[in-house]
């Protein structure tokens, strides 16, 4: 069993394993300053959503392995998405750039489920 420290979006720390969101958000996985001036972990948890929301994951194919290193063709990363909300859908999109109107992929994660 792997346990992760959970931090709210905007409160990311070196020890954070999952970022908790309560509304629509976007994270650039290639950025060393993805959230709170640190790289983002590969786990996201939606909690207490007021409505269906979108989570945009940008540049996941070149995400950071640590604060300085990025993925190359010899690496793969696993992402975890958890929707802990009892009623609302979390739509996860993968985009090459923030705000792209044509996502590379999209997935609707029902309430109380994970992928």
């Amino acid at each position: 069993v792997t346990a992760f420290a959970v931090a709210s979006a905007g409160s990311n720390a070196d020890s954070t394993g999952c970022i908790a969101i309560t509304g629509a958000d976007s994270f650039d996985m290639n950025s060393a300053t993805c959230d709170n001036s640190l790289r983002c972990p590969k786990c996201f948890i939606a909690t207490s959503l007021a409505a269906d929301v979108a989570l945009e994951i940008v540049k996941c194919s070149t995400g950071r392995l640590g604060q300085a290193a990025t993925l190359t063709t010899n690496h793969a990363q696993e992402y975890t998405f958890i929707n802990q909300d009892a009623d609302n859908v979390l739509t996860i999109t993968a985009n090459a750039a923030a705000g792209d109107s044509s996502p590379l992929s999209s997935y609707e994660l029902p309430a109380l489920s994970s992928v």
Side-chain angles (χ1 to χ4, degrees), residues 25-47:
D25 220 327
S26 177
F27 298 95
D28 183 340
M29 303 310 289
N30 183 263
S31 174
T33 58
C34 175
D35 185 64
N36 199 30
S37 298
L38 295 169
R39 61 116 186 117
C40 279
K42 309 306 178 256
C43 173
F44 296 89
I45 302 174
T47 62

Side-chain angles (χ1 to χ4, degrees), residues 15-99:
S15 62
T16 300
C18 291
I19 292 181
I21 63 167
T22 57
D25 220 327
S26 177
F27 298 95
D28 183 340
M29 303 310 289
N30 183 263
S31 174
T33 58
C34 175
D35 185 64
N36 199 30
S37 298
L38 295 169
R39 61 116 186 117
C40 279
K42 309 306 178 256
C43 173
F44 296 89
I45 302 174
T47 62
S48 304
L49 304 177
D52 293 350
V53 299
L55 171 61
E56 179 185 51
I57 303 298
V58 180
K59 300 178 187 172
C60 59
S61 65
T62 57
R64 295 204 166 255
L65 295 170
Q67 192 60 27
T70 57
L71 286 175
T72 66
T73 55
N74 298 330
H75 299 102
Q77 288 184 337
E78 179 178 27
Y79 288 78
T80 301
F81 301 95
I82 303 167
N83 185 353
Q84 285 185 331
D85 189 80
D87 304 308
N88 297 296
V89 173
L90 175 66
T91 301
I92 305 155
T93 59
N95 285 341

Side-chain angles (χ1 to χ4, degrees), residues 95-106:
N95 285 341
D100 277 354
S101 59
S102 299
L104 301 170
S105 65
S106 181

